[in-house]
Amino acid sequence: MAQSPFIQGHRGFRGLYPENTIPAFEHALQVGVQVLEMDVCISADGQVVVSHEPYMNSSYSTKPDGQPVTKEEEKKFNLFQMNYEQIRQFDTGKRGNAAFSEQHAMAAHKPLLSEVLALGEAFRKKYKRDIYYNIEIKSVEAEYGISQPKTVEEFSEKVWDVIAQQVKPAFIMLQSFDFKVLKYWNRAMLEGKFPKQIQLSALVSRKSPENTIKDLGFTPAIYSPNYQALSPEFVVYSHKNGMKVVPWTANESEEISRLAEMGVDAVITDYPNRVPQYLKPVH
């Protein structure tokens, strides 16, 4: 019989609400999601902003003058070169998202990480539920110093400074495709700079769990591959080596049920509403 994996709301609840926005995270919590998955970037004034890209995505962003951001303009609106008050003036929800036909179009903007954590912690207090946060540091080596801080140390420390003020480390998962980020966090945890309770998650596309450990130089708490690349053997290997398995981003109920049968520990999905059997909605 399949276990009940934790359902992680990808970018909040992207299937139905504007991604990485307060409405998306709020509705994810309401349907019973216990893990809020999100991405973070850094603004010019050093704020930790919840955003998948370090720029304004033309698929759904609207400029302060009400005009859509065009594909040609995207990189012009580099978050790392904009103060947060400027970033906030851009709408990221009222146009909807053509890639997600069920998504509700509504006014929204890129929030600060501190705002999302405050939302989750208020929900924890009100409903007496454990709420976890899976925070992805959006880092690409070619962008160091261009659309993100020059070093992974600086980026990481800004993120940790926000987390430390609001959430107990046991409820934090820190993920990245950039293994330099994960190596720094692991080293900082071993040195006592960051708490050891934080779970590090290695995001990969098709890399095996064995090669993930080899390339990192340590065993992360979580192996997080593209769900299409996951096999039962990878799940067994990961569990034998002390890693949880959290595939991304499965959006059909049949796919999520198949992953549950494999014994994964959690599933990242844009559509938490499609697997109500694994959720405990708020009434």
Side-chain angles (χ1 to χ4, degrees):
M1 183 175 178
Q3 69 174 37
S4 293
F6 273 84
I7 296 300
Q8 299 197 12
H10 186 233
R11 306 187 200 177
F13 197 158
R14 181 169 64 159
L16 298 190
Y17 299 92
E19 68 173 68
N20 279 322
T21 65
I22 293 298
F25 295 115
E26 189 168 27
H27 283 89
L29 292 169
Q30 289 294 329
V31 300
V33 166
Q34 282 187 272
V35 186
L36 298 179
E37 193 273 353
M38 69 199 75
D39 314 274
V40 293
C41 300
I42 304 296
S43 67
D45 53 343
Q47 301 291 315
V48 183
V49 183
V50 178
S51 177
H52 183 259
E53 296 88 14
Y55 55 83
M56 292 295 171
N57 191 314
S58 62
S59 298
Y60 52 80
S61 300
T62 303
K63 292 181 285 188
D65 66 4
Q67 295 300 307
V69 172
T70 66
K71 188 70 177 175
E72 295 71 31
E73 290 177 312
E74 283 185 334
K75 300 299 174 65
K76 169 185 171 184
F77 299 115
N78 180 342
L79 305 190
F80 191 54
Q81 296 175 13
M82 301 168 66
N83 288 336
Y84 181 63
E85 280 308 310
Q86 294 174 286
I87 293 170
R88 222 188 141 82
Q89 300 307 311
F90 285 72
D91 183 275
T92 56
K94 67 183 181 183
R95 285 171 54 198
N97 188 328
F100 297 90
S101 60
E102 297 175 38
Q103 189 183 104
H104 301 293
M106 60 178 65
H109 62 267
K110 296 180 185 295
L112 292 173
L113 174 61
S114 59
E115 294 177 284
V116 178
L117 298 182
L119 174 73
E121 292 307 284
F123 190 92
R124 178 201 304 277
K125 184 176 180 181
K126 181 175 181 179
Y127 294 101
K128 305 295 189 290
R129 289 191 178 185
D130 286 343
I131 302 299
Y132 297 82
Y133 309 91
N134 190 3
I135 301 169
E136 179 180 351
I137 289 186
K138 298 301 296 184
S139 178
V140 179
E141 192 167 354
E143 291 293 311
Y144 291 0
I146 299 171
S147 64
Q148 65 184 77
K150 289 182 179 179
T151 67
V152 297
E153 289 85 354
E154 181 185 354
F155 198 157
S156 299
E157 285 160 20
K158 286 184 181 301
V159 174
W160 170 243
D161 284 346
V162 174
I163 295 170
Q165 294 178 49
Q166 295 176 269
V167 182
K168 292 180 179 178
F171 295 99
I172 296 293
M173 301 163 208
L174 192 289
Q175 61 179 350
S176 190
F177 282 100
D178 187 346
F179 279 16
K180 286 189 176 181
V181 169
L182 298 178
K183 288 177 180 180
Y184 172 68
W185 278 75
N186 183 63
R187 186 168 70 250
M189 288 161 66
L190 290 174
E191 293 171 352
K193 189 170 186 177
F194 295 164
K196 291 185 178 180
Q197 299 98 311
I198 296 168
Q199 298 180 67
L200 298 183
S201 178
L203 283 168
V204 298
S205 292
R206 309 193 72 83
K207 194 189 298 283
S208 71
E210 183 176 8
N211 285 333
T212 297
I213 293 171
K214 180 180 177 182
D215 291 349
L216 273 175
F218 69 93
T219 302
I222 300 168
Y223 169 65
S224 190
N226 183 316
Y227 82 94
Q228 294 173 313
L230 188 64
S231 67
E233 292 75 23
F234 280 2
V235 175
V236 171
Y237 181 92
S238 297
H239 286 164
K240 280 186 176 179
N241 284 274
M243 292 187 292
K244 295 177 183 177
V245 180
V246 182
W248 56 270
T249 300
N251 283 336
E252 301 301 328
S253 56
E254 296 80 6
E255 294 168 347
I256 298 172
S257 294
R258 179 179 62 82
L259 293 167
E261 290 289 348
M262 279 191 202
V264 302
D265 300 279
V267 178
I268 298 173
T269 180
D270 290 313
Y271 295 93
N273 57 307
R274 294 181 179 177
V275 284
Q277 67 270 34
Y278 300 130
L279 300 170
K280 294 180 181 177
V282 173
H283 295 293

